[in-house]
Amino acid sequence: MKASLRLLISITWPLLLAAGIFAAPAQAALQPAPCGSGVRDFTCDGRPDLLAQDSHGTLWLYPNDGDGHLKPRIRSGTGWHYTAILEGVVPGPAQYTGVFARDREGTLWAIPSNGHGGWLKRIRTGGGWNQMTSIIPASHEPALLAIDRSGTLWRYPYEVRSHSIHWLTRQRLGAGWAGHMLVASRGYNDSDFLARDTHGTLWPYYFTYDSHYGPHVHRSPFNYGSGWGKYRSIVEDGDFVNVDGYIDFVATDTHGGLWLYASERGLKHRVQIGHGFNGYTIG
């Protein structure tokens, strides 16, 4: 009996649909395919991209060819007048990364990527961020690290909700950070973050955790050399060169040059990959 019923349904159901007697069940909205790398991949091609905001408020996206070169830039947005742009985990389609952007009034916005070089509606996360002189995403968790004007280093953990960022209790990590520039490391050589000191030396830092007092910051006894003071910005740009599994870095100097520091188990000699980046905010 059951077999006969299944046979009857399989024959009559398509006819009823075609006649408009029944409506087919609505399909769920198609979701975009997950991005390949998930790290600074704003175009879903499996390779990290570089963002640069010019002085006119245009945001440009620079894809890379996987061999250490930039492809022709793509106009990614207008009306971008932010003082800081940093990649991070933000609300939006789970497959895509996004950015945090601080405006001139000190408001921090979460802006999800649409995975095609564009952006979805921004989300206000809070004010007062113009008190921070350096902000980066944490390496292994949804959190931001920031140095305030007094030289105190803070950790801001957060939860990503469907349409908002929920900030958890911030943690004081220490004083004496005035004049330092934080650099995200994405776990480069197992570090939690990098920082350029007031002498232009780039150091890796590590966290240890205490169940009662939270994270403690420790500086490595080894550094990545001096001379980093000539750069206006230094950003971790994912596996930029050849998708070999090692994190690479991009830096802009005071003359507008764009430099690539490829890495393997250490930073290689720099290679210039662009020029004319004076006045750009790199993200």
Side-chain angles (χ1 to χ4, degrees), residues 171-192:
Q171 296 169 315
R172 187 180 185 274
L173 300 179
W177 290 85
H180 285 64
M181 174 193 285
L182 299 176
V183 180
S185 71
R186 193 71 61 176
Y188 174 70
N189 279 354
D190 298 321
S191 62
D192 287 291

Side-chain angles (χ1 to χ4, degrees), residues 204-279:
Y205 288 83
Y206 305 87
F207 287 138
T208 57
Y209 291 88
D210 184 284
S211 59
H212 296 288
Y213 300 103
H216 298 273
V217 178
H218 303 274
R219 191 176 80 176
S220 168
F222 306 101
N223 60 60
Y224 297 121
S226 58
W228 293 87
K230 59 179 169 286
Y231 294 115
R232 294 178 57 253
S233 62
I234 308 169
V235 297
E236 164 272 316
D237 201 44
D239 187 5
F240 190 86
V241 176
N242 54 8
V243 196
D244 60 359
Y246 295 102
I247 298 300
D248 306 312
F249 296 86
V250 173
T252 55
D253 64 27
T254 55
H255 303 291
L258 182 69
W259 299 88
L260 171 67
Y261 284 85
S263 69
E264 196 164 309
R265 297 200 178 274
L267 293 178
K268 299 179 180 179
H269 294 295
R270 68 177 189 171
V271 177
Q272 187 166 8
I273 58 173
H275 56 84
F277 281 83
N278 306 74

Side-chain angles (χ1 to χ4, degrees), residues 102-163:
R102 181 184 62 191
D103 66 23
R104 294 170 180 171
E105 287 72 40
T107 300
L108 190 69
W109 301 87
I111 310 177
S113 165
N114 66 8
H116 304 286
W119 307 93
L120 304 178
K121 184 179 179 180
R122 68 179 186 173
I123 301 164
R124 189 182 189 277
T125 73
W129 288 87
N130 50 357
Q131 299 298 315
M132 303 301 170
T133 60
S134 187
I135 312 171
I136 61 169
S139 290
H140 307 292
E141 59 180 340
L144 300 182
L145 303 177
I147 299 172
D148 68 21
R149 291 181 180 176
S150 71
T152 302
L153 177 64
W154 298 91
R155 173 178 172 266
Y156 289 84
Y158 63 88
E159 294 176 352
V160 179
R161 299 185 176 176
S162 58
H163 300 289

Side-chain angles (χ1 to χ4, degrees), residues 27-43:
Q27 294 183 338
L30 294 177
Q31 296 296 320
C35 286
S37 69
V39 179
R40 304 185 63 84
D41 184 7
F42 305 112
T43 54

